[in-house]
Amino acid sequence: MSAAKPLTVLPLLFACLASPTVAEEEDPVFAVHFSNGVISPSILEVPADKRFKIELYNDGSTPIEFESIPLRKEKVLAPGASSFLVFRSLQAGDYAFFDDFHLDMPPARLIAK
Amino acid sequence: MTSQTLLESFRIATVVWRESFEALLVIAILQAWTVHESVETRRRAARSIAGGAAVGMLTAVGLAFLMGEASDFLDGDREEVLQLILAATASALMLRMVIWMRSSARHASSDMKSRAAGLGKTGNWAALGLLAALAVAREGAETVVFLFGMLSGSDLGSAGVVAGSGTLGLGAALMTLVAFRSGASSFSKKAVLTFSQILLLALGSGLLMAALDKAVSLDFISTMTSPLWDTSWFLDDATGPGAFISGLIGYRARPELLPLLALGGYWTTALLAYASPLANKALA
């Protein structure tokens, strides 16, 4: 893909930004809680090759950032905030994710199977 | 100051430094390009960059507000779509800037005046400003959420600690910029240009991979294959320094076919700018 390509799809992307996204009801939902760098559960099992949702809660008093390059996701949450990430089709595997604002804490793992 | 507060303060400073590093590196590169130019060109460039950075900062605060207060608006996919647009635009702009730099150097390297005139042509000032704005807006929003979050979770002490440590982090990042700039003026023009072009292209490839990740994650495109190899034993992109480097230059430990094709296309386009006879065609 040449670098000019992203620019040509911009209008399409703006359209996506404007339209509401509809989450299917039967998607499995998993909750992950962050508290000042502590991630629970520290090992999360999810279905592979299937759409699912992870709800993120920041229960701590400091901001957190869910980050994982292998999972292709990042999300910043202020203290007390919550949000979610939608995963479309994750290949079976063992993925590490971590709190980018608490790098002194151990990373957590997401296992898709 | 207890050791606990000291540790917290150090952490704030590091996070702010890390988050603002990429943005400031881009600004430093853009500035370094004009370090050997005429006073007038330098001023004009500095104005474009500073203006862009200011717009970027306002955008960052606006985005931070959307991420926090109006979180429904940027929930789930929309934030990813927005990140995709910002990263893709910045990546394309970086490639364009380098291609343009190369062609302007080729056509007028002996003549300072026409070179400066070339810099001002065809909306390059706007591109310069836009690139600075995008760089600041992308990382700035996260920094703002982080700092406000630290302020609101105030069991770690006074707002002064947060503000002080944040300033320290930003100061450290600014020192990096000043060091880069003063280093740039002591090296030859050719060395500065080559080095900063390579840096900018590396950052651009990092942004291209970030944009690609968002597009795959949103199911706009498929990765085409499973990961083709695994170099995580050497440098793991999942955590720590490996993740930082991956975010910056686009390294992936387990790349699929599509990311490889995208990177190949990106660097081929970039190299075309260095192969003189082809470059003119590529630009036309």
Side-chain angles (χ1 to χ4, degrees), chain B residues 159-202:
Chain B
V161 175
V162 176
S165 322
T167 314
L168 203 68
L170 196 63
L174 281 171
M175 293 269 285
T176 319
L177 189 147
V178 171
F180 195 95
R181 199 176 149 70
S182 60
S185 59
S186 69
F187 283 101
S188 79
K189 187 162 141 185
K190 196 164 181 280
V192 172
L193 288 183
T194 309
F195 181 61
S196 56
Q197 280 165 6
I198 291 169
L199 265 183
L200 204 63
L201 286 174

Side-chain angles (χ1 to χ4, degrees), chain A residues 80-110:
Chain A
S82 64
S83 188
F84 65 88
L85 296 169
V86 178
F87 292 77
R88 262 117 187 140
S89 161
L90 197 61
Q91 284 184 7
D94 190 333
Y95 304 86
F97 65 95
F98 61 97
D99 179 350
D100 202 27
F101 289 161
H102 298 84
L103 286 177
D104 49 332
M105 305 297 275
R109 281 160 58 212
L110 186 143

Side-chain angles (χ1 to χ4, degrees), chain A residues 36 58-63 77-80 102, chain B residues 5 8 11-12 145-159 161-162:
Chain A
N36 300 328
N58 184 0
D59 304 329
S61 59
T62 55
L77 288 184
H102 298 84
Chain B
T5 343
E8 202 60 53
R11 206 160 62 76
I12 296 171
V145 172
F146 173 75
L147 284 176
F148 273 88
M150 291 310 276
L151 278 174
S152 66
S154 53
D155 68 320
L156 54 108
S158 64
V161 175
V162 176

Side-chain angles (χ1 to χ4, degrees), chain A residues 72-73 83 88 98 101, chain B residues 11 75 77 79 213 217 238:
Chain A
R72 308 172 198 274
K73 296 282 183 191
S83 188
R88 262 117 187 140
F98 61 97
F101 289 161
Chain B
R11 206 160 62 76
D75 233 352
D77 286 350
E79 190 179 343
D213 275 352
S217 163

Side-chain angles (χ1 to χ4, degrees), chain B residues 253-265:
Chain B
R254 286 168 285 258
E256 297 90 350
L257 184 58
L258 180 78
L260 290 177
L261 288 179
L263 272 189

